[in-house]
Amino acid sequence: MLKDFFSKKKKYASIPREEAKQDVPQGLMQKCNSCQKIFYGKEMAKNMNVCPNCGFHHQMTAYDRINCTLDEGSFVEWDKQLISSNPLQFPGYEEKLEKDRKKTELNEAVVTGKGTINGFDAVVAVMDARFRMGSMGSVVGEKIARAVEKAKDQSLPFIIFTASGGARMQEGVLSLMQMSKTSVAIQRFSDAGGLMVSIMTNPTTGGVSASFASLGDYNFAEPGALIGFAGRRVIEQTIREKLPDDFQTAEFQLAHGQLDKVVERQAIKNTLTSLLDIHQAGGEVS
């Protein structure tokens, strides 16, 4: 009897871990990347993917961001059909793009279009870090430039949520050219009297932070967002100095005059509504 008991226990213990995990539906639970506490996925989603315990702002998908910022059913997407080619014949690039399309159900790392925010019309662009780490290639630059031009033509505000690792290396100088392309479009928009609001989310780095992400009339960021051009290690090795622990965080940027405000995710829609109301009425920001 005792021998049978231990043999059964051993047999039970030999069940592969993968099979044991199948009892828990995928996506049911989610761990916070900051405090490591575990919550129901629905609880995190209801809280806009902000940790209920420590307030850590996890990344959002482009469409989730649109759904929680724009009025329900108001969003009309533009240029969804645009996809990247492989102009430099970079090995494996096309396969990686196709893999990301299937994984994210997006054609590129930015979604653009028009919608309303508490009744105020606006053109929006939302970057998604799941697609090639939100890197800026030719199509990303083209979609943003087109959105800015349409905002100018329709006399609408332009709002962009950035999330990017920088320029896309597989497109080389063609990717870097998007910095000037988008910047020129924004300058024309500004010269025509357009209002641009930039909200930087985690992370906003490289050529994106050095171009359109920093060109808003209002530059905001979510709490704790990583914002910068070069990485911490590169800078430390270059200047041969130790950087502050909070270097390149949204709070550090705010303290040093690079941002206008750090805005909690739950407050972004109301903040944008106030700005749109003020500028539509021709008022002044106090």
Side-chain angles (χ1 to χ4, degrees), residues 61 67 94 120 137 152 223 238 244 252 255 259-260 264-265 277 280:
T61 70
N67 289 337
E94 294 176 22
F120 293 100
K152 177 174 70 68
T238 301
F252 184 92
L259 290 174
D260 296 304
E264 297 276 348
R265 186 171 293 166
D277 188 21
Q280 179 169 293

Side-chain angles (χ1 to χ4, degrees), residues 142-169:
E142 177 69 13
K143 291 183 72 171
I144 291 173
R146 287 189 186 189
V148 173
E149 290 292 336
K150 288 180 180 179
K152 177 174 70 68
D153 294 342
Q154 298 179 30
S155 299
L156 293 175
F158 176 65
I159 299 167
I160 186 166
F161 292 85
T162 60
S164 177
R168 191 172 297 178
M169 67 175 187

